[in-house]
Amino acid sequence: MRQYPLFPSRNVHSLDGLWNFSFRTDVAMEEVDVSAVEADDKTAVPGCFDTSPDHYGKHGLGLYVRNVDIEADGRYRIRFDGLGLYARVYWDGAPVAECRLPYSTFEVDVVAARGTHRLAVLAGNCYWEKEWSPLYRTGDDYYAFGGIYRSVTIERLPDGPFLERVQVFTADLAKRTVRLRFLFGGAVADGPAEVALAFDKGEAAMVSLDVRGGAAEAVLAVPGGQVWSPASPRLHTLTAAFRGDAVVERFGLRTIATSGETILLNGEKIYLQGFNRHESHPEFGPVQTDQLMLDDLKWLRDIGANYIRAVHYQQDPRFLELCDELGFLVWEESAGWGVGVERLAAPWFAPIVVEQNRRMIRSGINNPCVIFWSFLNEAANDEPGAVPLYETVVAEIRREDPSRLVSYCNWMNQAQARCLELCDVISYHMYPGWFGGSPERDLPASATIPKAVADSARDAGARDCCRGKPAIVSEIGACGIYGMHDRDLAQWTEEFEADYDSVAVDSILATPRFTGFTIWQFIDSKSYTRGSAIRSKTRGFNNAGLLDEYRRPKLAYYALRERLRAHRA
């Protein structure tokens, strides 16, 4: 599947395939001499070492090694679309880069002579090592896989200045104009620059830019521009040529904004109804094949969803491109689940969160499907010490991209949450009757849901930081294990989950204060079987999916499909 941006003038090679591999559980990263280790095993890239038969569920360090043939002397860029939890990259035995941002896209530039070179990646999944894995902790409610999850490429960079990216923002929807932000590399000098621009493979026109600090801007009309929407996901391309090099970007003409308690897509009110989705498969972990991603979106379209909360990390760029093409709306969220105030207030932590969000935004900036940026799911923002970090991160997100909405999800103790004045949309998590006790008398767990939804709606209208803003339910749901049944709605059965989720959707749809929801969750996803502070997970999975991990629909799927289809009709 094609992945943007494209660089048609560059020599780009995929490094996917079988790599040499060695796995150790008894050493720290500093103790590994990558030049001395015999990587005599084989593993796949993309892949996860802790889903393989040899190392299933193991925690440690995996050494990936392969030879790379360089055809000519010059500068080269190695691009990783995502790995975890942390990694150090070596070129010919020397360390050249480090990544502590799981799932994040990152690049490594090297100068190489013609010939064969040795690329090595030391990747670890020890989530308890705070020094190497600051965004994960013991107790996180999703499994932190180890390996190189996504594709790796190497490309020859131009010898002189070049275009890194062209970011495309809708300037005026009615006039079909876009604001282009050009990002240059290769030590480009300040001053005039001539760039040839062509929309949709049309005739190119020269545009004179004034480059300052490696960037420049221009506003142009898109010839024959068509608006992107879920009902009509029209996409355009822009080719920018500069000094013999070129970059091709794909984008959509669309706007997202709020007006009072309403979310507006292209100036029109929209209701968001969808599901939280992890990148998870029982055999491949977060490795996403084209068919798996496409089939997931077909399931979501069948049930009547128009919206996906993509949790809890930067998504595979190919998944966002599919959402662009099929017309789904997406909430993108960077990693950091349940982070406590001791980290939120630490001076070293904020730069990590800022950098992770910058990478996520720059990767997905031209995907029209993305309407939200979010970060730090359920962190301790009810503590005063968290406020400076939230203010810093939101300011940096808006600096990178002022065109999208910003929100984040809080503790279920919503009334104590701080920093909500920074949000464009207020997001509520709630699990009444599932977490936090059972209802009074001998009633189904779902009996507690209407009051919880009403209380949250009342909160959204009572506090100054929430009043006058749209509100959504970003998590609500309960677990049911595929194939377990009981007519009396016993916990963990499909009937229990179907009843719970049905009442949740009915209650939210009947509450005008909410303008959308995402049910927790779309598929069952791997969690931990031990060593976790959260309550134990049956089967080692979060079993709240409408489909199980093999995409087999449960009763809740059919119950919600009836409701969501009717609401969209």
Side-chain angles (χ1 to χ4, degrees), residues 124-268:
N125 67 338
C126 297
Y127 56 88
W128 54 82
E129 296 286 353
K130 185 172 72 172
E131 179 182 356
W132 295 108
S133 183
L135 293 168
Y136 279 80
R137 65 187 182 108
T138 55
D140 283 7
D141 188 14
Y142 65 101
Y143 191 88
F145 294 92
I148 303 176
Y149 310 153
R150 302 173 186 156
S151 288
V152 184
T153 59
I154 187 168
E155 66 187 61
R156 170 78 184 275
L157 292 176
D159 293 329
F162 57 91
L163 271 173
E164 296 272 12
R165 294 292 306 269
V166 183
Q167 299 178 338
V168 186
F169 305 90
T170 301
D172 189 313
L173 194 64
K175 296 180 180 178
R176 307 298 196 260
T177 58
V178 290
R179 179 172 63 88
L180 305 178
R181 180 192 291 165
F182 300 84
L183 302 180
F184 292 85
V188 65
D190 286 354
E194 298 292 320
V195 178
L197 300 179
F199 289 99
D200 300 321
K201 299 182 180 179
E203 185 176 349
M206 296 301 298
V207 175
S208 182
L209 302 175
D210 182 23
V211 180
R212 299 293 167 191
E217 293 195 359
V219 176
L220 296 173
V222 180
Q226 300 183 70
V227 174
W228 183 95
S229 70
S232 182
R234 308 290 180 84
L235 294 164
H236 295 279
T237 60
L238 170 68
T239 302
F242 175 67
R243 295 191 177 185
D245 189 37
V247 57
V248 182
E249 303 279 5
R250 191 170 72 170
F251 67 95
L253 286 164
R254 69 107 184 90
T255 60
I256 187 73
T258 64
S259 177
E261 298 179 357
T262 301
I263 298 175
L264 301 176
L265 179 72
N266 300 327
E268 298 182 359

Side-chain angles (χ1 to χ4, degrees), residues 46-69:
C48 292
F49 59 70
D50 49 358
T51 61
S52 71
D54 295 339
H55 316 298
Y56 189 86
K58 302 296 184 183
H59 294 90
L61 292 170
L63 177 63
Y64 293 74
V65 179
R66 65 159 293 159
N67 289 331
V68 179
D69 293 326

Side-chain angles (χ1 to χ4, degrees), residues 304-315:
N306 64 356
Y307 173 54
I308 302 162
R309 179 170 173 247
V311 294
H312 294 296
Y313 33 76
Q314 179 183 322
Q315 299 295 291

